[in-house]
Amino acid sequence: MVANLLIYGLVNSVVLMLTALGFSLTFGLSGVANFAHGGLYLLAGFLAWIFINSFGLPAALGMILAVIVVGILGALIYRFILMPVRGIVLSEVISTFAVGVAILEFFRWKGFVTYDFSLPVLVQGSVKISGVSIDYQRLLIIAIGLALALLLWFFTHHTRIGLALRGMSQDEYTALSVGIESDWAGMLSLALGAGLAGVAAVVILPLGIISINMGYDVLLIALAVTVLGGLESTTGLVVGSFFVGYAMVITSTYLGPQWGEVVYLGAIVLVLAVKPSGLFGKSKELEERV
Amino acid sequence: MKKRIPVLVALFLSLSLLVSLAGCGQPAQSTAQNKIVLGVPTALGTVEGKDSLNSVNMAVDEINAAGGVEVGGKKYQLSVVSIDTREAEAGIPVNDALTAVDKLISQNKPNAIVVGAFRSEVLLASMDLVAKYKIPYITSIGMAPDYEKKIGENYDKYKYFFRMGLNSTYLVDYLNKTTGYIGKNFNFNKVYFMYQDVAWAKGTAAGVAAWAKSNGWTIVGQDSYPTGASDFSSSLAKAKAGGAQLIVPIFDMPQAGVLVKQAKSMQVPALLEGFISPVSAGNAWTTFNGEIDGFVNFVYEAGPIPLKNIPKSAAYNDAYAKKYGEDARVKLAGHGPGPAYDSVYVLVDAIKRANSLDSGNIVSALEKTDYDGVIGHIKFSKNHQVIYGENAKETASGLAFQWRAGKRVVVFPADAAESQIQLPQQ
């Protein structure tokens, strides 16, 4: 039972991390809370399904294309929806939320409510680890999730573009004074965040079937994990995901699955009450001390 | 101006959302003269709701093509008005669904309502609202037994309400019978229950668990999952560790399809028998990459699968494929479509016998229904629930099938069975 808990706790944690990665990255790099995240996640899933089943593309190609299209859409959302309201936080939240809901409800309106929307797993079969059976797709999720987290940390801390984006998020006027264009940074961060939502969708959705309400759940999970870890912190995201992921699995095992879902919502309330900037957040830390 | 366009787009999207949330998704039609109007207020965004509406429309088209309905020497055509109550969607309160029902009735003045509420919570809450209008209401999706209990307790107020679909009590009875068969034939006595945290599923699981306990089964565990949950590893691990030989899952949420796949990948050596809606349709084998082999799933009411003991079920399937395509027929939901189709015919039969469009007369005629339909033989109980059983010549019937090598093999009831339940190869 302990081995099972450790392995499936790890899977659950990485699924949460992958789900929230795009949301956290966009906020960390541009300060935009992209509430269209759930809509973009689901859009990537449905697009991949359409590319594979309607256009007959190979599964991997269909999935890559879906990620690219959703990434481009992220940039367009910034250009046409967010740019005019940039800096007005409430308007940013309302407009991105409206876009996300419009995407989800568009698919509902078009009849994507049946039970036949599923993506193929990239690797079939399963393996036993310490006596616990686990399928290759879940192992792939762990590998991709951890690799992406590392890659993003490297990108934001050790590349010129990543450093420029972080500079912009820390102080827009200072960044502008050294030649970093804020709208370019915003577009890039939205594109990257949307693309990451797409990656999460095409690796996680093959575990089950695609249903529209998942889009709303994804947004909630992304919010919970990033608020817990600290909105702009990659380390916080990883720690937050593992904290919530393992807490959910332990609670589900010993108290019952109905309590597992309460954990991440309870975590938001608790962290906001005790440390509003999150476990590793810096943005409001000074205000909190004052 | 240029900068205002995106703001306007965002505003438009927000307004579109508000409009759609208000339950205005489907514009209602106006009532014409010489028409008998049937109202269909249900969750049209669900597979069950959509397929039920299709079945109602199909029955209406068939009746109209055959000349319509003659009442008091006057010919009437049937027409359908529908509204999406959205009650199955997250965050839609019961009150919003009731507003949609009220809108449909007050604007279109239907002569009767068929299909009705999707969620039992909405079904029970809508009884008082619909009772005001005194129109016959034949529901086919909501399953709470409290529905007929209310009818029995206050007949004069609720006599307009009937149920064509299966209720939870009958589902428990069916599950008890198949569970008993499994216990007896495979010498199983350890069971694990996994169910969705909604009224009908909890009630069903509790009913079967009570039966299992009093029939010598050891209940290894019982877990309820919130709607939307998509990881079942903790329960499956406990079932495996506890030596459960049978797992009874009861879910109507899309994410539950993961359960059967996850049980396979975790190599849980137990037979799965119960109800998981996404694993019910004929194309589920492809959807789940064949990882559902051996799963015994219930179809609540006959209809979606042609049965050898119900000739009308084959005719219904042929007609559905002709009207909506073979692809749509294969995907028919396991709950709702058969009763929805029969509701129209049973209602028309009652109107003809009553020779009147007066609700009171129709209700009296409905109570005397004795009709062979797609779901079997239809008769209402004293409290207006269609009587379900195992002999389709005498009662309406549900069925269970087992997934085997890509096919749905009917295993229950004996009258309709093509084979017995078999243990899947590990």
Side-chain angles (χ1 to χ4, degrees), chain A:
Chain A
M1 190 57 88
V2 175
N4 190 84
L5 209 136
L6 286 172
I7 290 170
Y8 280 92
L10 177 64
V11 174
N12 198 37
S13 303
V14 177
V15 164
L16 293 177
M17 187 183 73
L18 256 177
T19 305
L21 209 53
F23 183 86
S24 170
L25 182 90
T26 301
F27 189 86
L29 295 184
S30 63
V32 172
N34 180 15
F35 275 63
H37 185 73
L40 293 167
Y41 176 93
L42 213 79
L43 176 67
F46 279 130
L47 279 179
W49 187 90
I50 291 166
F51 288 146
I52 296 164
N53 292 282
S54 301
F55 298 164
L57 295 181
L61 181 62
M63 290 173 180
I64 292 167
L65 263 182
V67 171
I68 293 170
V69 171
V70 169
I72 292 170
L73 185 69
L76 293 176
I77 288 172
Y78 184 87
R79 175 64 188 82
F80 294 104
I81 307 283
L82 280 171
M83 255 174 70
V85 294
R86 191 76 176 98
I88 312 165
V89 176
L90 188 61
S91 300
E92 287 177 2
V93 168
I94 290 171
S95 50
T96 52
F97 186 65
V99 171
V101 172
I103 292 170
L104 296 175
E105 296 307 315
F106 171 79
F107 282 109
R108 200 190 302 277
W109 173 57
K110 294 305 287 177
F112 283 64
V113 293
T114 54
Y115 297 135
D116 43 0
F117 299 102
S118 77
L119 297 177
V121 292
L122 289 171
V123 203
Q124 287 276 8
S126 59
V127 65
K128 270 195 173 180
I129 301 170
S130 303
V132 177
S133 298
I134 183 166
D135 50 303
Y136 289 128
Q137 184 69 23
R138 283 184 169 80
L139 291 178
L140 187 72
I141 289 173
I142 295 173
I144 290 178
L146 296 178
L148 270 179
L150 272 175
L151 206 70
L152 283 175
W153 175 83
F154 181 82
F155 170 73
T156 52
H157 288 77
H158 297 284
T159 65
R160 281 172 64 88
I161 297 175
L163 288 169
L165 289 168
R166 282 180 65 215
M168 181 58 63
S169 74
Q170 282 165 10
D171 193 321
E172 190 171 344
Y173 293 110
T174 310
L176 275 168
S177 70
V178 293
I180 303 168
E181 215 263 297
S182 71
D183 285 333
W184 164 83
M187 264 175 77
L188 191 61
S189 75
L190 255 288
L192 278 173
L196 283 171
V199 173
V202 298
V203 295
I204 295 168
L205 288 174
L207 295 179
I209 57 177
I210 313 171
S211 87
I212 288 163
N213 287 349
M214 276 178 182
Y216 296 103
D217 295 339
V218 161
L219 180 60
L220 257 182
I221 290 169
L223 271 173
V225 171
T226 45
V227 165
L228 185 73
L231 272 166
E232 75 289 3
S233 162
T234 314
T235 318
L237 175 73
V238 176
V239 174
S241 305
F242 276 72
F243 180 82
V244 176
Y246 272 103
M248 281 175 79
V249 171
I250 291 167
T251 316
S252 296
T253 305
Y254 294 106
L255 292 180
Q258 73 272 34
W259 295 104
E261 303 275 312
V262 175
V263 166
Y264 70 81
L265 296 172
I268 299 183
V269 177
L270 195 71
V271 168
L272 285 179
V274 178
K275 194 171 185 301
S277 59
L279 296 175
F280 291 84
K282 301 278 179 203
S283 60
K284 298 277 180 192
E285 212 175 29
L286 187 61
E287 290 170 36
E288 279 171 33
R289 270 187 242 144
V290 173

Side-chain angles (χ1 to χ4, degrees), chain B residues 77-415:
Chain B
Q77 290 277 295
L78 296 177
S79 74
V80 179
V81 289
S82 63
I83 194 160
D84 188 359
T85 57
R86 305 192 65 170
E87 64 201 87
E89 293 164 30
I92 301 290
V94 169
N95 207 38
D96 282 14
L98 295 184
T99 306
V101 177
D102 201 16
K103 185 184 169 200
L104 177 123
I105 299 175
S106 57
Q107 286 190 355
N108 302 283
K109 304 195 172 24
N111 299 83
I113 285 177
V114 290
V115 183
F118 178 89
R119 286 265 170 238
S120 292
E121 291 86 342
V122 176
L123 178 66
L124 296 173
S126 60
M127 288 178 83
D128 286 320
L129 169 73
V130 181
K132 275 194 317 188
Y133 293 99
K134 295 185 173 25
I135 49 174
Y137 184 106
I138 309 178
T139 189
S140 48
I141 302 180
M143 292 177 74
D146 284 351
Y147 181 70
E148 50 267 25
K149 197 176 155 202
K150 277 181 90 168
I151 298 166
E153 284 169 358
N154 193 346
Y155 176 81
D156 287 338
K157 185 177 180 185
Y158 299 123
K159 66 179 179 184
Y160 304 94
F161 294 88
F162 293 79
R163 173 154 44 206
M164 189 68 70
L166 193 81
N167 68 10
S168 307
T169 312
Y170 282 123
L171 176 60
V172 168
D173 191 45
Y174 279 161
L175 277 163
N176 291 348
K177 281 179 177 136
T178 48
T179 306
Y181 174 88
I182 289 165
K184 197 175 151 193
N185 283 273
F186 305 125
N187 215 14
F188 282 1
N189 61 3
K190 285 184 168 181
V191 61
Y192 202 105
F193 291 93
M194 295 166 72
Y195 49 91
Q196 198 172 333
D197 195 9
V198 289
W200 75 269
K202 282 197 286 190
T204 304
V208 185
W211 175 90
K213 221 170 179 177
S214 60
N215 281 273
W217 287 76
T218 303
I219 296 169
V220 178
Q222 296 189 62
D223 289 327
S224 76
Y225 280 83
T227 302
S230 56
D231 178 32
F232 304 91
S233 58
S234 60
S235 300
L236 291 170
K238 284 192 280 184
K240 194 176 176 180
Q245 297 150 318
L246 178 69
I247 294 174
V248 180
I250 303 164
F251 293 91
D252 72 354
M253 61 186 192
Q255 294 87 345
V258 178
L259 196 157
V260 190
K261 281 177 81 171
Q262 203 166 15
K264 271 265 184 288
S265 73
M266 289 174 73
Q267 298 177 359
V268 180
L271 176 69
L272 276 89
E273 171 234 18
F275 179 73
I276 298 182
S277 45
V279 190
S280 184
N283 64 332
W285 186 267
T286 317
T287 306
F288 293 102
N289 301 317
E291 291 181 83
I292 52 176
D293 196 39
F295 177 49
V296 179
N297 205 8
F298 268 86
V299 168
Y300 287 178
E301 306 96 2
I305 299 176
L307 298 179
K308 62 182 182 187
N309 61 333
I310 306 177
K312 276 193 179 174
S313 67
Y316 165 81
N317 274 268
D318 290 344
Y320 200 94
K322 204 172 164 192
K323 190 171 175 68
Y324 300 110
E326 176 59 14
D327 189 45
R329 186 199 70 78
V330 168
K331 293 175 191 170
L332 267 168
H335 179 36
Y341 180 80
D342 279 343
S343 295
V344 179
Y345 275 99
V346 162
L347 184 74
V348 167
D349 177 57
I351 291 172
K352 280 181 182 168
R353 280 186 286 112
N355 197 24
S356 163
L357 288 175
D358 175 76
S359 318
N361 294 340
I362 296 172
V363 165
S364 298
L366 275 171
E367 288 174 338
K368 297 183 189 84
T369 296
D370 194 352
Y371 179 85
D372 280 314
V374 163
I375 61 170
H377 192 75
I378 297 167
K379 270 187 170 182
F380 288 104
S381 71
K382 187 167 67 77
N383 292 338
H384 295 184
Q385 163 67 48
V386 162
I387 300 161
Y388 277 81
E390 293 168 60
N391 181 354
K393 286 192 176 68
E394 292 173 5
T395 63
S397 177
L399 65 108
F401 67 84
Q402 186 169 30
W403 276 107
R404 281 187 217 156
K407 290 202 172 104
R408 294 181 294 179
V409 180
V410 178
V411 292
F412 175 86
D415 269 11

